[in-house]
């Protein structure tokens, strides 16, 4: 088996086991009040972190693509105008694509 | 759960799956260009099924990294899926988490399914959003990967179409209802700030993980409202 196959299989199984571990916590832990409160806030903190990384990660250093940022900002405007999810993501993509086309 | 909310969830999931198909095609093309075979590329999309980890793995291999050297980066980016399991365990039904069904549920625990689920207010809608998004995304991500892996470099860059702006915009939109409370806004701002500050300092994958303690601290802090009620 080649080195690439080993890497593909080891990393795939490892990533799967991480997912499995997350959904395998015993109910006795999950039913605790403090765990429930943390569980509610966990995706808020982590997904906000993910958005930040997608906006500001220039490959291991801080970097900013203003056209990307402008697109996401346009999406936020659509959110503030109470537009639907699909409208929000399409506005973001179209804005960024247009800015990339003209700059 | 009304018919309207179900169809709204399906529509949103279809939107996410559509751009995931484009990124899947991009992944397939990048993977084959990095020296992986079509089979290896498909095993990644089917078994790893986690975009960030997959792109990182083929990136290291493509830049000349010896096979196993690519593994830690992929795993580090996969750790956040373990964290997502905690809120999802509350949302999913007992039968989703027991027996063989749990093995399928686990595979679908990723950024998108978590965001779609926690973006809804009611438990049945959250669970429905997890499953619809997960299954649709799995099919389209893998179909896209196959097309990209076979077609290779003739697949265009999704960035030209601005699809890379769709990703943060989608997560923000799904997070939006959770920002109605002051606590949600503080936790989100804290998570974003910590992750941004760490980008230049730590390996890929760690900034998002480092946002998690913000939720732990905020969740364990005594509530002012509750204190006042005593």
């Amino acid at each position: 088996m080649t080195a690439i196959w080993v890497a593909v299989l080891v990393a795939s199984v490892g990533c799967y086991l991480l997912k499995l571990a997350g959904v395998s916590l015993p109910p006795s832990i999950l039913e605790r009040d403090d765990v429930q409160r943390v569980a509610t806030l966990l995706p808020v903190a982590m997904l906000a972190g993910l958005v930040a990384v997608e906006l500001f990660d220039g490959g291991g250093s801080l970097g900013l693509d203003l056209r990307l940022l402008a697109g996401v900002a346009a999406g936020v405007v659509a959110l503030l105008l109470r537009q639907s999810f699909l409208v929000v993501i399409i506005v973001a993509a179209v804005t960024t694509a247009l800015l990339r086309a003209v700059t | 759960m009304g018919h309207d909310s179900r169809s709204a969830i399906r529509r949103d999931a279809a939107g996410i799956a559509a751009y995931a198909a484009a990124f899947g095609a991009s992944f397939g093309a990048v993977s084959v260009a990095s020296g992986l075979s079509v089979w290896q590329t498909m095993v990644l999309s089917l078994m790893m099924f986690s975009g960030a980890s997959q792109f990182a793995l083929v990136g290291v291999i493509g830049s000349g990294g010896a096979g196993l050297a690519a593994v830690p980066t992929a795993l580090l980016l996969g750790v956040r899926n373990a964290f997502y399991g905690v809120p999802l365990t509350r949302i999913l039904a007992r039968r989703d988490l027991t027996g063989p069904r749990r093995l399928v549920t686990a595979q679908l625990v990723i950024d998108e399914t978590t965001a779609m689920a926690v973006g809804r207010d009611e438990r049945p809608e959250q669970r429905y959003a997890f499953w619809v998004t997960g299954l649709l995304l799995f099919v389209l991500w893998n179909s896209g990967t196959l097309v990209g892996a076979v077609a290779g470099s003739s697949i265009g860059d999704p960035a030209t179409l601005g699809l890379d702006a769709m990703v943060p915009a989608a997560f923000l939109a799904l997070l939006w209802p959770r920002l109605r409370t002051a606590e949600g806004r503080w936790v989100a701002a804290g998570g974003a700030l910590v992750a941004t500050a760490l980008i230049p300092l730590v390996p890929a994958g760690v900034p998002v993980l480092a946002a998690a303690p913000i939720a732990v601290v905020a969740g364990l802090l005594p509530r002012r409202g509750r204190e006042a009620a005593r």
Side-chain angles (χ1 to χ4, degrees):
Chain A
M1 202 156 59
T2 67
I4 292 184
W5 266 120
V6 174
V8 164
L9 292 175
V10 170
S12 294
V13 171
C15 281
Y16 177 73
L17 291 177
L18 284 167
K19 294 174 177 177
L20 190 61
V23 292
S24 304
L25 286 175
S28 56
I29 293 181
L30 290 165
E31 279 157 14
R32 287 174 45 178
D33 275 358
D34 50 355
V35 174
Q36 298 222 354
R37 279 207 307 278
V38 171
T40 309
L41 294 172
L42 204 53
V44 177
M46 293 179 72
L47 291 171
L50 182 64
V51 170
V53 167
E54 275 161 4
L55 286 177
F56 304 122
D57 188 354
S61 60
L62 289 175
L64 186 57
D65 177 348
L66 285 175
R67 295 161 299 184
L68 178 75
L69 190 66
V72 176
V76 170
V77 171
L79 272 173
L80 291 169
L81 296 173
R82 298 178 171 277
Q83 296 300 306
S84 72
F85 175 77
L86 289 185
V87 171
V88 169
I89 63 175
I90 290 169
V91 163
V94 169
T95 307
T96 298
L98 285 177
L99 289 171
R100 288 211 173 111
V102 299
T103 54
Chain B
M1 175 169 47
H3 175 73
D4 285 352
S5 59
R6 273 181 188 252
S7 63
I9 289 168
R10 283 198 298 270
R11 219 171 27 240
D12 293 359
I16 291 184
Y19 74 64
F23 279 104
S26 166
F27 169 74
V30 168
S31 177
V32 169
S34 302
L36 283 80
S37 68
V38 173
W39 277 111
Q40 288 164 338
T41 302
M42 285 315 298
V43 166
L44 282 177
S45 278
L46 290 163
M47 279 181 64
M48 188 177 276
F49 187 54
S50 190
S53 295
Q54 290 179 229
F55 270 108
L57 188 88
V58 303
V60 175
I61 292 174
S63 62
L68 282 174
V71 175
T73 311
L75 290 180
L76 205 49
L77 282 157
V79 173
R80 67 173 181 259
N81 294 328
F83 282 66
Y84 291 153
V86 182
L88 285 174
T89 305
R90 299 187 58 216
I91 285 169
L92 294 168
R94 195 171 289 272
R95 66 178 181 280
D96 296 330
L97 299 165
T98 45
R101 178 86 165 258
R102 183 168 65 110
L103 303 177
V104 178
T105 304
Q107 181 65 328
L108 302 181
V109 175
I110 50 173
D111 296 318
E112 287 82 0
T113 48
T114 306
M116 275 288 282
V118 303
R120 313 284 148 176
D121 286 322
E122 306 294 332
R123 195 53 50 87
E125 294 178 358
Q126 293 179 326
R127 179 169 175 263
Y128 187 72
F130 172 85
W131 280 106
V132 170
T133 309
L135 294 173
L136 206 54
L137 203 59
F138 189 82
V139 171
L140 284 182
W141 174 252
N142 280 288
S143 310
T145 304
L146 184 59
V147 170
V150 172
S153 54
S154 59
I155 295 286
D157 182 359
T160 316
L161 296 173
L163 296 188
D164 51 336
M166 270 193 178
V167 182
F171 287 124
L172 255 182
L174 294 171
L175 206 52
W176 206 250
R178 302 275 78 83
L179 305 181
R180 282 188 297 235
T181 64
E183 182 181 49
R185 287 193 292 272
W186 278 111
V187 168
L193 205 63
V194 167
T196 306
L198 287 177
I199 289 169
L201 305 175
V202 294
V206 179
V208 174
L209 293 180
I214 300 283
V216 176
V217 171
L220 297 182
L221 280 179
R223 303 274 164 105
R224 262 173 298 168
R226 183 180 311 166
E227 297 293 315
R230 274 182 194 154

